[in-house]
Amino acid sequence: MIILGIETSCDETAAAVVVNGDTILSSIVTSQIAVHHPYGGVVPELASRKHIEAIVPVVNEAIRASGMEIKQLNAIAATQGPGLIGSLLVGFSYAKAYAYALDIPWTGVNHLEGHINSVFLEPDPPPFPFVALLASGGHTSIYLVRSHTLLQPMGQTLDDAAGEAFDKVAKMLGFGYPGGGVIDRLAQAGDPEKIAFPRTYLNKSNFDFSFSGIKTAVNRYIQTHPNEYKVQIPDIAAGFQEAVVEVLSYKVVHAAMEAGCDHIAIVGGVAANNRLREKVRQEADSHGFSVHIPSTPLCGDNAAMIAAAGYHQLRQGKISNRSDDVYSRMRL
Ligand code: KG4
Ligand code: ZN
């Protein structure tokens, strides 16, 4: 089954052509970072407008790069939620109209299920059930993944998402949006043990997270060291990153132990973090667990993961209809 995937839930306009939920023929992602960078975060109204400008060329380019003819597409999958309503509406409405014009089925995909399915676009995907950490700019949760479309929540953040904490700390240190990649690079030149930041909930016996305290702790450090902090930026970045990574990796490995699973997946934008990738692999190795992390382009938002999740939904007969709408919050 050849599926056109469309993703516009936040600030990336993306389209992809994927065969049978595991083989990418093309994946085009255009980012709006330059538009939102001066504002230190995504401006929803600007995001919607940029999606409207980009959706037609991005979808056309994905089809062209796939080497397929439009008439060879068997179905369309588009993100239905969660995300920014105005942004979601652009991709979802476009998918709806495109599917009706071609007279092919289409399905609305939960963005989080899309991230989970990104591991199936790589060789050697995990067998079910496995435990997945989804860490992005909007979500941080651990799931017991029973099938492509059945995710059982084991824990989640009670306040900020991990990616949001990276973005906010980068902003405090004088870097723009998004901040995850910047912190990752700065931390490589820093000493993670020079400045200790709190590991919230590390010792709690559940799989919930809290990242607002560490963000406040970094802010307090900056306020109380107004002159010194500027030369300590790599150490602050490394200390902050180490604290977040330690909690994420500890919790996901312990969740796998509790669930009796020996396969762990790490997905979402924060899965691109070099230290997280290394630390989870170290921790998992010491317990004999296998770790599955998508290549960096598939960690961040993309449409190939939406096409992959859509493939499994369509196989189960979940076909959307004309009255279906988008949701800023969407249950799994
Ligand atoms: O999955 P994603 O592209 O979009 C959402 O669904 O939110 O994740 C974006 C988030 C941003 O907060 C960004 O700062 C973070 O992922 N991120 C990283 C890295 N690359 C992106 N965080 C830490 N280290 C990175 N290398
Ligand atoms: Zn995402």
Side-chain angles (χ1 to χ4, degrees), residues 49-100:
R49 289 187 201 190
K50 287 288 152 189
H51 284 306
I52 290 171
E53 287 170 20
I55 189 77
V56 174
V58 166
V59 169
N60 288 348
E61 177 57 15
I63 295 171
R64 192 203 59 75
S66 74
M68 292 287 149
E69 301 284 328
I70 291 178
K71 60 178 184 296
Q72 289 176 281
L73 298 174
N74 300 121
I76 300 181
T79 308
Q80 188 169 13
L84 301 170
I85 279 291
S87 293
L88 287 163
L89 262 176
V90 176
F92 196 70
S93 309
Y94 194 74
K96 198 188 275 195
Y98 213 102
Y100 276 94

Side-chain angles (χ1 to χ4, degrees), residues 197-217:
F197 291 111
R199 272 86 167 140
T200 312
Y201 291 177
L202 188 61
N203 297 318
K204 277 211 175 167
S205 57
N206 62 23
F207 304 112
D208 288 335
F209 302 98
S210 165
F211 296 109
S212 74
I214 185 167
K215 173 193 72 187
T216 310

Side-chain angles (χ1 to χ4, degrees), residues 129-132 142-147 150-154 255 259-261:
F130 62 90
V131 165
I142 294 179
Y143 300 102
L144 175 59
V145 183
R146 294 194 176 276
S147 76
L150 186 57
L151 318 184
Q152 195 174 311
M154 294 182 74
C261 293

Side-chain angles (χ1 to χ4, degrees), residues 149-169:
T149 54
L150 186 57
L151 318 184
Q152 195 174 311
M154 294 182 74
Q156 61 178 348
T157 181
L158 303 183
D159 42 54
D160 292 354
E164 193 180 351
F166 272 91
D167 294 336
K168 286 179 178 166
V169 165

Side-chain angles (χ1 to χ4, degrees), residues 271-300:
N273 185 270
N274 286 294
R275 179 64 185 138
L276 178 64
R277 295 169 87 97
E278 177 184 60
K279 178 94 174 164
V280 171
R281 288 205 171 101
Q282 280 168 359
E283 294 255 331
D285 269 1
S286 67
H287 291 88
F289 296 160
S290 303
V291 179
H292 305 260
I293 312 177
S295 55
T296 308
L298 291 175
C299 290

